[in-house]
Amino acid sequence: MAPTSSTPAKPRAQKAAPKDAGTTLADDERTALDADIDRLEEGSRVWAALTLDQRARLLGRVRDAVGAVAQEWADAATMSKGLEPGHALSGEEWLGGPYAIIGLLDALRETLEALAKGRSPLDGVKLDTAPGGRLRAHTFPLNGTERFLLSGFTGEVWFEPGVTAVDARREAGLAQLTPTEPGGVGLVLGAGNVTSIPVADVLYELFAHNRVALLKVNPTQDALVPVFERALAPLIEPGFVRIVRGGAATGAFLTSHPRLVHVHITGSAATFDAIVWGASTGSATEGATRETPKLKVPITAELGGVSPIIVVPGQWSAADLKYQAEHVATMRLVNAGHNCIAGQVVIVSSDWPQRAEFLHRLHEAYAAAPERPVWYPRSDERLGDAASSYPDAAWSADHTRAIVEVKGGDDPAPVETIEYFAPILGVVEVAGTGQEFLDAAVAHANAKLTGTLGANVLIDPVTEAALGDGFERAIADLRYGDIAINTWTAFNFLTARLTWGGLPGATLADVSSGIGVVHNALLLDRVERSVARGPFRPFPRSVGKGVFTILPTPPWFVSSRTGAEVSAGLTRYLVDGKLPGLVATLTKAMQA
């Protein structure tokens, strides 16, 4: 988010810069990469000749290919993180891999089919107004399967102020409104933490921008390359996609290549600065003083941040306290915290009578969650940094995770400005109750926490109803591109018809959580944010108590005893649509 006169600049992420291997590519490596770009340039011309119907059918072929490798995909991803195939935590790899991609493929195909018939992708989607006169599209759920499997969950896309319903419908479709205009060859620098991200980013290049894509995978995902190649074979064969491996030298060669017209990166602000400015640090000052970017082509980016979890005080039952404590632990511990969507700072009220009990439950849930490898490169350094900054932190799981309760004499800056990308969870206090607390917590998150990617809010139905319009206004005041109410922003990430990305307004000099959005299967233009809402209580406690859901403990919760089986079963149901398998999966879900 770029600073304005009315909005103070948010703190800059204090991540270390990437380590450069200090090597150059051999001639044969350069030749091979040039040959890949030659093939993609040919593919770009073929892509521009395809009709929307042909592209929709192509998505169907990709879907079949993803379904065929789904088990291998989940197994390879699980092993890449130091676990055995079928491990109790492997459900995260099903949801964050083939499940997410199949949902995206289905949603994109429906968008293309609508455009091919001369309709807007927003036809039939409810539009109304959000606070501040913004236009809002209710994009989840849109079919019976979504309503049944994820009952109680909803999703909205909010447009930038000034966008009208006529504008939104007319502009929905992005580059697919002009499919014969080629977008050239783009470079996708793939994420290293979640396996669906590189594939989803390639799909967005093709369908949002008509750009064929050269995907350089992060070295942490080298083992997934054979899976990606088979999953994307229908796009690779005609020259729409190429996948390459490589380290810093490969990235440097490609980002300066004269025939690549665009770069998209999922990573850190330090890596972004190194690409754009040639910077050696993540310093905002250094980037801002540079007048001429090193990078000569446009760039989009998703760069993470420090995500708040705002706990609005209310009168919670013992079951509520336990469930929401497990919810917060989930936000930090899934994938060992190696997520840009991981919640990092819990904001609680110092005046909440149940504060101590909630924090006690949180410590219990955090320590009791299954142990797992902290596997992402340099995570040990980040854990060490947290231990140095907060010697009184509460460590658990053989000293691989910690809760930092920021006390009066502690410096909150490290936990509020460093995206640890590791299992470090901070707790800070803000005074007040009701609207006073919520407004203060929103102001604290906006001003003190690095980034504008994702924010989470937990609030019981009685308190939300009492706040009324004040609650919706506070949500609008949160300066984040994705907001989750009584769910986790991972839901936004996995929901194809929502958008994923930082709040608009970032610049090359002050990139914050990134530039642009991804996923966005309705191909909507001029989007400001996406907002997801979930049930405060699971089934059966959801009956007659606010938002109803048939879901018991969701399969993505770290406390779910059947998360692996349910996540695999839901993915297989998306693949084959077989009802007996779905019944068995739902039975397992009830045992969570």
Side-chain angles (χ1 to χ4, degrees):
M1 177 181 69
T4 66
S5 58
S6 59
T7 304
K10 298 195 75 171
R12 178 74 164 190
Q14 298 181 22
K15 282 184 179 177
K19 292 183 178 178
D20 198 313
T23 60
T24 57
L25 291 182
D27 288 343
D28 60 336
E29 293 174 305
R30 291 171 179 261
T31 299
L33 292 171
D34 283 334
D36 284 323
I37 296 171
D38 289 341
R39 185 69 184 93
L40 288 167
E41 287 180 333
E42 296 172 7
S44 179
R45 292 187 285 272
V46 176
W47 180 259
L50 295 183
T51 67
L52 294 176
D53 282 329
Q54 289 172 320
R55 294 178 185 187
R57 289 196 294 273
L58 186 60
L59 282 171
R61 291 179 55 205
V62 178
R63 186 192 201 280
D64 292 342
V66 171
V69 301
Q71 180 72 60
E72 184 180 354
W73 185 331
D75 288 346
T78 302
M79 289 189 290
S80 75
K81 297 174 182 180
L83 302 171
E84 293 297 318
H87 190 278
L89 297 172
S90 64
E92 297 171 13
E93 307 312 323
W94 283 96
L95 294 179
Y99 176 91
I101 294 303
I102 291 173
L104 179 58
L105 290 166
D106 286 346
L108 282 170
R109 185 174 184 175
E110 290 177 13
T111 291
L112 292 184
E113 289 171 345
L115 291 168
K117 295 175 182 177
R119 297 190 290 108
S120 169
L122 280 175
D123 286 353
V125 176
K126 178 184 175 182
L127 301 178
D128 62 11
T129 57
R134 296 171 175 87
L135 179 71
R136 171 172 57 187
H138 296 261
T139 63
F140 185 91
L142 289 185
N143 57 53
T145 299
E146 293 172 344
R147 292 186 183 93
F148 176 69
L149 293 181
L150 289 165
S151 63
F153 290 82
T154 61
E156 312 151 9
V157 174
W158 293 21
F159 293 87
E160 295 177 354
V163 176
T164 68
V166 172
D167 295 334
R169 289 193 178 95
R170 182 182 66 248
E171 296 167 1
L174 295 178
Q176 299 312 298
L177 297 173
T178 54
T180 60
E181 296 181 8
V185 182
L187 172 65
V188 173
L189 298 174
N193 60 326
V194 175
T195 60
S196 65
I197 294 176
V199 177
D201 290 350
V202 163
L203 292 172
Y204 201 66
E205 287 290 289
L206 281 168
F207 292 96
H209 304 295
N210 277 339
R211 273 195 296 269
V212 299
L214 178 63
L215 167 62
K216 190 194 87 65
V217 297
N218 188 292
T220 63
Q221 295 198 3
D222 278 353
L224 273 294
V225 169
V227 176
F228 291 160
E229 288 175 336
R230 290 199 296 281
L232 295 177
L235 300 176
I236 293 172
E237 291 163 1
F240 305 148
V241 174
R242 279 290 184 273
I243 303 174
V244 298
R245 296 178 174 92
T250 302
F253 174 75
L254 293 173
T255 54
S256 61
H257 201 287
R259 289 192 286 150
L260 296 177
V261 303
H262 184 272
V263 174
H264 177 79
I265 177 176
T266 300
S268 71
T271 303
F272 179 92
D273 282 348
I275 292 169
V276 173
W277 303 105
S280 59
T281 74
S283 166
T285 302
E286 179 175 330
T289 60
R290 296 175 181 267
E291 296 180 358
T292 305
K294 168 188 170 185
L295 185 69
K296 302 304 180 186
V297 297
I299 183 170
T300 52
E302 191 270 277
L303 305 176
V306 174
S307 294
I309 307 167
I310 297 174
V311 181
V312 183
Q315 293 183 349
W316 294 10
S317 68
D320 294 337
L321 291 164
K322 181 177 184 294
Y323 177 79
Q324 294 300 346
E326 293 172 356
H327 198 177
V328 172
T330 294
M331 296 181 195
R332 180 75 268 186
L333 293 179
V334 163
N335 197 22
H338 309 315
N339 287 335
C340 60
I341 53 176
Q344 181 165 307
V345 174
V346 183
I347 304 177
V348 296
S349 170
S350 57
D351 298 315
W352 185 25
Q354 293 179 293
R355 176 187 56 80
E357 186 177 0
F358 172 74
L359 293 179
H360 173 70
R361 287 291 192 178
L362 176 58
H363 279 271
E364 284 186 334
Y366 204 70
E371 293 189 25
R372 65 177 80 213
V374 181
W375 63 271
Y376 204 77
R378 302 179 68 184
S379 294
D380 55 343
E381 296 178 25
R382 299 186 183 103
L383 293 176
D385 290 343
S388 177
S389 297
Y390 299 104
D392 295 330
W395 291 85
S396 57
D398 196 24
H399 213 76
T400 60
R401 64 181 70 148
I403 292 180
V404 174
E405 291 191 43
V406 179
K407 306 296 185 181
D410 296 332
D411 179 7
V415 78
E416 292 188 330
T417 61
I418 299 171
E419 184 188 1
Y420 283 113
F421 218 66
I424 303 297
L425 181 66
V427 179
V428 300
E429 295 184 0
V430 170
T433 58
Q435 194 71 51
E436 177 190 11
F437 165 80
L438 181 56
D439 290 343
V442 167
H444 187 97
N446 286 343
K448 301 294 185 182
L449 273 56
T450 291
T452 65
L453 181 59
N456 309 275
V457 180
L458 303 178
I459 183 169
D460 68 89
V462 172
T463 303
E464 182 177 347
L467 295 181
D469 291 343
F471 177 73
E472 292 299 316
R473 175 188 53 73
I475 295 302
D477 288 343
L478 272 168
R479 298 194 58 77
Y480 290 84
D482 280 273
I483 298 170
I485 303 164
N486 289 334
T487 182
W488 174 28
T489 48
F491 182 87
N492 304 51
F493 175 87
L494 291 174
T495 302
R497 294 186 183 90
L498 297 180
T499 57
W500 184 252
L503 196 75
T507 66
L508 294 182
D510 183 14
V511 71
S512 189
S513 288
I515 298 170
V517 299
V518 290
H519 304 173
N520 187 25
L522 291 170
L523 300 179
L524 305 177
D525 199 11
R526 294 194 279 169
V527 169
E528 181 185 63
R529 71 184 77 193
S530 288
V531 179
R533 302 171 194 261
F536 181 74
R537 300 179 174 96
F539 182 83
R541 293 193 301 112
S542 62
V543 178
K545 294 182 179 179
V547 176
F548 173 76
T549 180
I550 64 168
L551 271 182
T553 300
W556 55 85
F557 267 43
V558 292
S559 55
S560 173
R561 292 179 295 180
T562 58
E565 299 97 322
V566 173
S567 300
L570 290 175
T571 306
R572 293 192 182 99
Y573 176 69
L574 290 185
V575 171
D576 59 29
K578 293 181 179 179
L579 288 178
L582 177 61
V583 171
T585 296
L586 294 179
T587 300
K588 281 288 185 183
M590 293 300 170
Q591 300 167 3

